[in-house]
Amino acid sequence: MSEQRFKQAEFAAWLGIIGNIFLAIMKGVVGWLSNSKALIADAVHSASDVAGSLAVLIGLRTAKLPPDEDHPYGHGKAESIAAIIVSVLLLVVGVEIGISAVKTVIHGVSSPPKGFAIIAIVASIVIKEAMFRYKYKLGKKLSSQALIANAWEHRSDVYSSLAALAGVLGALIGKYYSVEQLYILDPLASLFVAVLVLNMGYRLVMESIHNTMDHVMHAEDAAELINTVQKIKGVITVDDLRAREHGHYVIVDVKISVNPKISVLEGHDIARLVKQQLMKRFIHVSDVFIHVNPYDPGYPYKNNVDSNQDDMPILLH
């Protein structure tokens, strides 16, 4: 992981930690004072985001470590592992919120929440949506699955806050019109929050597990890599290119053909240019392994061509 990439990701993680601590305390206190079960559930959700952001931060710091004897390809998968931890936390919190909501519904609700709970909920929605947009955009830019997973946590918190808002408003309407049956909307909203959290956690854990496993990029995704290599001076053709997604980054294996009459040193220089260009242009490419072949003008490259290779490009076209 480059230093610039790490600093941006670390700042986003700390932003999430500080923001979630503030929201969890605010919503917890207001939820308790206003007697809103939905807002308290929403506060617990924000508290789980604190743990999620900490997991992301730990994953980012681990991913930054350089390759060693036991991890020759680096520690980039630490981010994917952190994303799995975040997802599991969502599932655990969802179950806890659901159980609490069901118990409240069974025992009944004697009074609605206070109206000032709405202020805390609206503030939470605005802050969480802003955090989601920032982290999701940055996660896509840095190809960080952990940041993207953490961003979706913020979006799920927006949904849970919207559900809490609906529950509180419904209960307050019941108070205004003296319809006590509507008081139950507040704990029902917390139950809906639990469903949202569980659904989000399930989708994220499945995606995180998928990203933890090595798999080859699709042909359309690797096409830009091939085009970049093909344009490099000295490369006659790209015989094969395979890009393996390894955690948040990509490792490229490429076979190129060069003029068979050039020296080994010139072939090495061409390979070095290929590696430098790929890693410079594509931030998610962490390493490139290159095999240099002598160009064969016959099958499967070209048919009915002159076998005279004197005009083939060497290092410079």
Side-chain angles (χ1 to χ4, degrees):
M1 178 187 294
S2 66
E3 187 65 27
Q4 181 182 7
R5 180 182 186 274
F6 172 75
K7 287 182 178 180
Q8 289 180 303
E10 184 181 40
F11 175 79
W14 276 114
L15 181 65
I17 292 171
I18 296 172
N20 283 317
I21 289 176
F22 168 75
L23 289 175
I25 294 175
M26 178 191 70
K27 290 189 287 189
V29 172
V30 175
W32 180 71
L33 293 175
S34 64
N35 192 35
S36 173
K37 299 295 183 182
L39 189 53
I40 293 175
D42 202 19
V44 174
H45 191 187
S46 293
S48 72
D49 285 354
V50 175
S53 295
L54 285 172
V56 170
L57 184 60
I58 294 172
L60 291 170
R61 288 184 177 275
T62 305
K64 185 187 176 186
L65 297 175
D68 53 35
E69 184 176 347
D70 293 330
H71 307 87
Y73 298 107
H75 300 75
K77 284 191 175 182
E79 287 194 44
S80 297
I81 295 173
I84 293 176
I85 295 174
V86 171
S87 305
V88 172
L89 282 173
L90 276 175
L91 292 174
V92 172
V93 171
V95 171
E96 291 179 349
I97 293 175
I99 293 175
S100 176
V102 170
K103 288 182 178 178
T104 302
V105 170
I106 292 175
H107 290 90
V109 183
S110 59
S111 61
K114 303 294 189 300
F116 60 84
I118 295 177
I119 299 175
I121 297 174
V122 172
S124 174
I125 292 172
V126 173
I127 294 173
K128 278 293 185 175
E129 181 64 20
M131 292 172 67
F132 164 77
R133 291 177 182 273
Y134 171 73
K135 281 194 177 183
Y136 185 79
K137 184 178 179 180
L138 184 62
K140 285 292 187 180
K141 177 183 176 181
L142 302 181
S143 298
S144 173
Q145 292 299 325
L147 275 181
I148 293 174
N150 198 221
W152 278 110
E153 273 200 88
H154 296 320
R155 173 53 65 83
S156 68
D157 217 4
V158 172
Y159 295 151
S160 69
S161 293
L162 287 172
L165 180 62
V168 171
L169 283 175
L172 289 174
I173 291 174
K175 178 183 179 181
Y176 182 81
Y177 289 102
S178 300
V179 182
E180 295 186 0
Q181 290 81 358
L182 292 179
Y183 294 175
I184 202 173
L185 290 177
D186 183 56
L188 282 178
S190 65
L191 182 59
F192 182 71
V193 170
V195 174
L196 288 176
V197 173
L198 287 172
N199 178 62
M200 186 67 68
Y202 172 76
R203 292 197 296 108
L204 288 178
V205 76
M206 296 305 295
E207 182 179 350
S208 300
I209 291 174
H210 172 74
N211 290 322
T212 302
M213 301 178 182
D214 287 350
H215 53 279
V216 179
M217 293 177 63
H218 297 300
E220 57 271 20
D221 297 324
E224 192 173 0
L225 296 171
I226 296 175
N227 292 335
T228 299
V229 176
Q230 190 68 66
K231 294 177 182 179
I232 295 175
K233 293 181 178 181
V235 176
I236 298 177
T237 186
V238 178
D239 299 331
D240 187 31
L241 186 145
R242 296 184 181 182
R244 293 178 288 127
E245 295 183 357
H246 190 81
H248 72 276
Y249 56 83
V250 171
I251 297 175
V252 178
D253 296 291
V254 57
K255 296 179 181 179
I256 60 174
S257 285
V258 301
N259 189 339
K261 293 188 176 182
I262 65 176
S263 66
V264 174
L265 178 60
E266 289 175 306
H268 173 77
D269 289 339
I270 295 173
R272 178 173 52 82
L273 285 174
V274 170
K275 181 173 182 177
Q276 290 177 346
Q277 187 65 19
L278 286 176
M279 296 185 68
K280 179 180 179 181
R281 181 171 179 181
F282 303 97
I283 188 174
H284 59 290
V285 173
S286 66
D287 207 351
V288 180
F289 298 94
I290 306 169
H291 182 80
V292 180
N293 296 321
Y295 177 67
D296 181 358
Y299 181 84
Y301 306 109
K302 295 181 179 179
N303 294 318
N304 301 322
V305 298
D306 188 354
S307 61
N308 186 355
Q309 300 171 346
D310 292 338
D311 61 346
M312 286 186 185
I314 53 174
L315 182 57
L316 300 175
H317 285 301

